[in-house]
Amino acid sequence: LSCCEEQGSPACSKAPQVGRVRVQLEMQALWQQFDQLGTEMIVTKAGRRMFPTFQVGISGMDPSAEYVLLMDFIPVDDKRYRYAFRSSSWLVAGRADISAPGRMHFHPDSPGRGAQWMKQTVSFDALKLTNNLLDDNGHMILNSMHRYQPRFHVIYVDPAPNSHLHAQRNFCSFSFPETQFIAVTAYQNHRITQLKIASNPFAKGTQGFYLWWI
Amino acid sequence: LSCCEEQGSPACSKAPQVGRVRVQLEMQALWQQFDQLGTEMIVTKAGRRMFPTFQVGISGMDPSAEYVLLMDFIPVDDKRYRYAFRSSSWLVAGRADISAPGRMHFHPDSPGRGAQWMKQTVSFDALKLTNNLLDDNGHMILNSMHRYQPRFHVIYVDPAPNSHLHAQRNFCSFSFPETQFIAVTAYQNHRITQLKIASNPFAKGTQGFYLWWI
DNA sequence: GTCTTCACACCTAGGTGTTAAGCT
DNA sequence: AGCTTAACACCTAGGTGTGAAGAC
């Protein structure tokens, strides 16, 4: 159960509509299973979903207030990685490539009332990852072989006039370390491939093949 | 291009947010093609989509005002029908059966701002028809072998206090005669079946069979 | 007889990893 | 070598009418 991350601001400077919001990562056990192996997420030119899907349960919102929910991805470090098959581990392979300006993914149900968001799990299953710098579909642009941390943001839609003057007060951010991943164009770690096949229904097609090897 | 139907009220008693709303039926040519043959819509216990889908283009809304959009179905008459295969025509087969209280189907994007609704075609493709009087999925309950007229309603969400006192002023209704249909559990008119197969992509499975007969 | 139900084959639509070929 | 691309087979998920069987 994650609280709002105060970003170096003095005391509690958040509006009550966001200051009490609590967020729980769903499918946490699965995320941890992947994290232990070193999560990889496929990026393609056309855009690829994440698996596991980023899903959260939310509490503490003002039921009648309006909120916008969104995600973004920040580089974890300034490094480029490569996978060493011999040692089955990731190695630093130099400094990070230049990155496209970070995009934001608004949850398609935004804006919505607190009651609606808290009613059931909020799922970002429409979000797609791409390595196409010229992407025109609103997908999240990431560099392959770089490490990322997904972030989740809650913005309170303040009806007050000049509310933009209090933008700081009206949003808060959450990030879960177990959702970190390295973007790849093809899986590197075979155990990641196996765990994806075992846990993603859509990857059931080739499941039979691996059952002999596990 | 249909205007708001004044329901026997004196002069223009509608709020400006709804009084200027204009609605255009999409796929009108297809609806007319079906209507000419006598449209039939399948009802099942589990719920069946309509085809053609009820879709409208909307103009004249206040872009920043909030609206709720919904549909319902009203019996066209107090009759029950049967199909005479010999004459390929519908005959009256007595008085209507007792009907379940009419349900409403809210468009899932409700409530939404005028700008959002007018941006693109509003489609009711999630709406399903059922003949199950005990339906628990929010589908529209209809009597098989009865004739219905779909209706479309626009409700302005008035932020004023006590706005419920002006409920009359804040909504308006639209109906398109070419969308009338008879609910059936199995198609009666073979030409309706053929037109459904020819025009609905999901019915492509058996298309080859009929190509020899047309 | 007339109407309804259900399993089914056949689609649409789109999410998977695989694999071979292509790029640098 | 290392990484990327694109076609592909194989799934999930669900919308069609069919035709035989069932209900009244």
Side-chain angles (χ1 to χ4, degrees):
Chain A
L1 214 64
S2 178
C3 296
C4 188
E5 299 160 358
E6 291 280 347
Q7 315 219 345
S9 43
C12 180
S13 59
K14 295 298 184 185
Q17 285 85 355
V18 298
R20 294 173 189 140
V21 172
R22 296 295 178 272
V23 176
Q24 179 187 356
L25 178 68
E26 302 289 343
M27 301 294 278
Q28 192 170 23
L30 186 59
W31 276 106
Q32 287 168 349
Q33 231 175 321
F34 275 101
D35 192 37
Q36 223 161 353
L37 300 174
T39 310
E40 301 174 25
M41 294 285 179
I42 297 277
V43 292
T44 68
K45 208 170 161 186
R48 195 78 150 195
R49 281 195 190 176
M50 295 174 68
F51 188 89
T53 303
F54 190 91
Q55 298 176 316
V56 290
I58 306 177
S59 58
M61 281 179 165
D62 176 347
S64 62
E66 264 195 332
Y67 296 88
V68 167
L69 268 47
L70 60 101
M71 284 188 68
D72 64 1
F73 296 81
I74 55 171
V76 170
D77 51 38
D78 197 37
K79 296 177 169 55
R80 182 189 170 81
Y81 290 85
R82 71 181 187 84
Y83 190 72
F85 287 93
R86 304 186 180 201
S87 59
S88 297
S89 63
W90 287 92
L91 308 176
V92 174
R95 296 208 41 170
D97 301 334
I98 55 167
S99 61
R103 286 183 172 175
M104 300 189 289
H105 175 89
F106 292 82
H107 191 285
D109 295 351
S110 299
R113 308 219 171 267
Q116 185 71 23
W117 294 121
M118 293 189 293
K119 200 166 60 182
Q120 57 188 359
T121 296
V122 174
S123 176
F124 284 87
D125 51 7
L127 187 155
K128 291 192 176 184
L129 309 179
T130 183
N131 58 343
N132 180 9
L133 297 172
L134 304 173
D135 174 77
D136 204 28
N137 301 303
H139 297 153
M140 309 305 284
I141 303 175
L142 303 180
N143 280 328
S144 184
M145 301 314 218
H146 291 59
R147 174 169 264 138
Y148 291 94
Q149 169 69 59
R151 287 193 308 178
F152 172 61
H153 308 280
V154 175
I155 302 177
Y156 163 53
V157 183
D158 190 345
N162 297 322
S163 64
H164 60 281
L165 297 175
H166 312 94
Q168 284 287 13
R169 287 169 42 77
N170 289 331
F171 87 96
C172 62
S173 305
F174 305 84
S175 47
F176 302 90
E178 61 265 54
T179 60
Q180 278 190 22
F181 62 88
I182 292 185
V184 295
T185 57
Y187 290 126
Q188 305 295 309
N189 182 348
H190 285 194
R191 300 185 64 187
I192 286 291
T193 312
Q194 290 171 32
L195 186 51
K196 295 254 184 180
I197 291 171
S199 51
N200 186 342
F202 285 111
K204 206 175 162 188
T206 45
Q207 194 166 33
F209 178 72
Y210 277 101
L211 287 177
W212 295 94
W213 296 87
I214 294 172
Chain B
L1 212 64
S2 178
C3 298
C4 187
E5 299 161 357
E6 292 280 346
Q7 313 218 346
S9 44
C12 180
S13 60
K14 294 300 183 185
Q17 285 86 355
V18 298
R20 295 171 188 142
V21 172
R22 296 294 177 271
V23 176
Q24 179 186 356
L25 178 67
E26 304 288 343
M27 301 295 279
Q28 193 171 23
L30 185 59
W31 277 106
Q32 286 169 350
Q33 231 175 321
F34 274 101
D35 192 37
Q36 225 161 356
L37 300 175
T39 310
E40 301 174 25
M41 295 286 179
I42 298 277
V43 292
T44 68
K45 209 170 160 186
R48 195 78 149 194
R49 282 195 189 178
M50 294 174 69
F51 188 90
T53 303
F54 191 91
Q55 296 176 318
V56 290
I58 306 177
S59 59
M61 281 179 166
D62 175 347
S64 61
E66 263 195 331
Y67 295 88
V68 167
L69 267 47
L70 60 102
M71 285 188 68
D72 65 1
F73 297 82
I74 54 171
V76 170
D77 51 37
D78 197 36
K79 296 177 171 54
R80 182 189 171 82
Y81 290 85
R82 71 180 187 87
Y83 190 71
F85 286 94
R86 304 190 178 196
S87 59
S88 296
S89 62
W90 287 92
L91 307 176
V92 174
R95 297 208 40 170
D97 300 335
I98 53 167
S99 59
R103 286 183 173 176
M104 300 190 288
H105 175 90
F106 292 83
H107 191 287
D109 294 351
S110 298
R113 309 223 171 264
Q116 185 71 22
W117 293 121
M118 293 189 293
K119 201 165 61 182
Q120 57 188 359
T121 296
V122 174
S123 177
F124 284 87
D125 50 8
L127 186 155
K128 291 193 176 183
L129 309 179
T130 183
N131 58 343
N132 181 8
L133 297 172
L134 303 174
D135 174 78
D136 205 26
N137 303 302
H139 299 153
M140 309 304 284
I141 303 174
L142 304 181
N143 280 328
S144 183
M145 300 314 213
H146 292 59
R147 174 170 263 134
Y148 292 94
Q149 170 67 60
R151 287 194 308 179
F152 172 61
H153 308 280
V154 175
I155 302 177
Y156 163 53
V157 182
D158 190 346
N162 295 323
S163 63
H164 61 281
L165 297 175
H166 312 95
Q168 284 286 13
R169 288 169 41 79
N170 290 331
F171 87 97
C172 62
S173 305
F174 305 85
S175 47
F176 302 90
E178 61 266 52
T179 60
Q180 278 189 22
F181 63 87
I182 292 185
V184 295
T185 57
Y187 290 126
Q188 304 295 308
N189 182 348
H190 285 193
R191 300 184 64 189
I192 286 291
T193 311
Q194 289 171 34
L195 186 51
K196 295 255 184 178
I197 291 172
S199 51
N200 187 340
F202 285 111
K204 206 175 163 186
T206 45
Q207 194 167 32
F209 179 72
Y210 277 101
L211 287 176
W212 295 93
W213 297 86
I214 293 173

